Amino acid sequence: MDEHKYVINLLPYHLAIKDFDYNAVVDWATDRVSKGHETEGILMLATFSKPVSTYEIKPYIRAYLREQKLEEVEGELAFFALIRYYMYEILDGREIRKVIKGLYDLYFHEEQFGQGKDLGLVEFYLLQHAWDDLQFAQLTYYYENATLENISSICKEKAQEWLEKYGEK
C-alpha cells in the first residue's frame, strides 16, 4: 500500500490522531488529480500549500468526507476504530512495521481515550521495541523467541487476539 493510500484511509480519524500529517493529505489529493481522479473535494484539498494550516484544511476535509459519504469520527469511538483499522492492516500484511509504530504511539494515549481501561496495546508497545532491537542488534529481550524472520507473524497473531478480545467495542 503506498503512503498516500495509508494516509487517506486514516482521514476519517484525523481528529483523534495526534500530529496527523495534513501535508500528506495534500500530497494524496495532488496525486489523485494528476491521475485524473477529480472530485470537488479532491480538487479543493489539492489547492493547499505546504506546510498546511491545520485550522484551514479541516473544513475541507469534512467536506471531502461528506462527499465520499464517510463519517468523521473523534474521541473514544475514533480511538477504537483506528486501533481496529490498524489490526486489520496487520492481518492483511500491509506495512506491519509502520502500523506497529502507530500502535506504539497510541499506547501513550490509551488512558486518555480508554478511560483508564487496559486496551491491550502493551503487546504492541513491546513488539515495537523488540523490532527495533532486532533490526539494530539482532537480539531482543522485549519479546521472547522473536526474530526478524518471525516478528511479522507474531504481530499478526497478536492482532488477531486483540480483535477477538476488544474488536467490537
Side-chain angles (χ1 to χ4, degrees):
M1 172 186 287
D2 65 34
E3 182 178 342
H4 298 306
K5 184 160 174 67
Y6 185 81
V7 168
I8 207 60
N9 285 333
L10 296 178
L11 198 54
Y13 315 110
H14 72 106
L15 295 174
I17 301 172
K18 182 181 181 208
D19 301 323
F20 184 83
D21 187 1
Y22 292 100
N23 292 320
V25 174
V26 174
D27 291 340
W28 168 82
T30 304
D31 182 59
R32 298 302 292 169
V33 170
S34 73
K35 293 178 179 171
H37 301 284
E38 299 175 2
T39 68
E40 187 176 330
I42 290 173
L43 288 170
M44 288 305 298
L45 291 171
T47 64
F48 279 85
S49 298
K50 297 188 291 184
V52 175
S53 163
T54 300
Y55 177 77
E56 290 177 11
I57 198 170
K58 282 182 179 181
Y60 296 97
I61 288 175
R62 287 185 184 107
Y64 170 76
L65 291 172
R66 279 192 308 272
E67 175 183 277
Q68 298 300 309
K69 297 179 179 31
L70 296 171
E71 185 178 334
E72 186 174 46
V73 186
E74 56 186 311
E76 184 179 348
L77 290 175
F79 192 72
F80 281 110
L82 179 58
I83 294 171
R84 270 194 308 277
Y85 171 79
Y86 279 152
M87 296 305 169
Y88 286 116
E89 290 292 288
I90 291 170
L91 291 176
D92 287 343
R94 294 190 193 122
E95 297 192 55
I96 295 174
R97 181 75 170 109
K98 186 174 184 177
V99 173
I100 292 299
K101 173 66 169 106
L103 289 167
Y104 171 85
D105 292 342
L106 289 178
Y107 170 79
F108 295 103
H109 301 287
E110 184 175 46
E111 188 171 309
Q112 173 189 356
F113 287 104
Q115 298 175 347
K117 299 176 220 155
D118 172 24
L119 302 179
L121 295 181
V122 70
E123 291 285 339
F124 301 96
Y125 169 88
L126 294 171
L127 284 165
Q128 168 67 24
H129 284 293
W131 210 319
D132 283 345
D133 284 355
L134 291 168
Q135 193 169 13
F136 298 108
Q138 290 78 42
L139 176 68
T140 185
Y141 295 103
Y142 284 98
Y143 226 89
E144 190 175 343
N145 300 320
T147 65
L148 278 177
E149 290 75 30
N150 72 3
I151 197 158
S152 291
S153 296
I154 293 170
C155 291
K156 287 181 179 184
E157 177 185 319
K158 295 304 172 184
Q160 184 63 48
E161 288 174 12
W162 189 93
L163 285 167
E164 289 168 6
K165 185 171 182 178
Y166 301 97
E168 297 306 317
K169 295 209 181 268

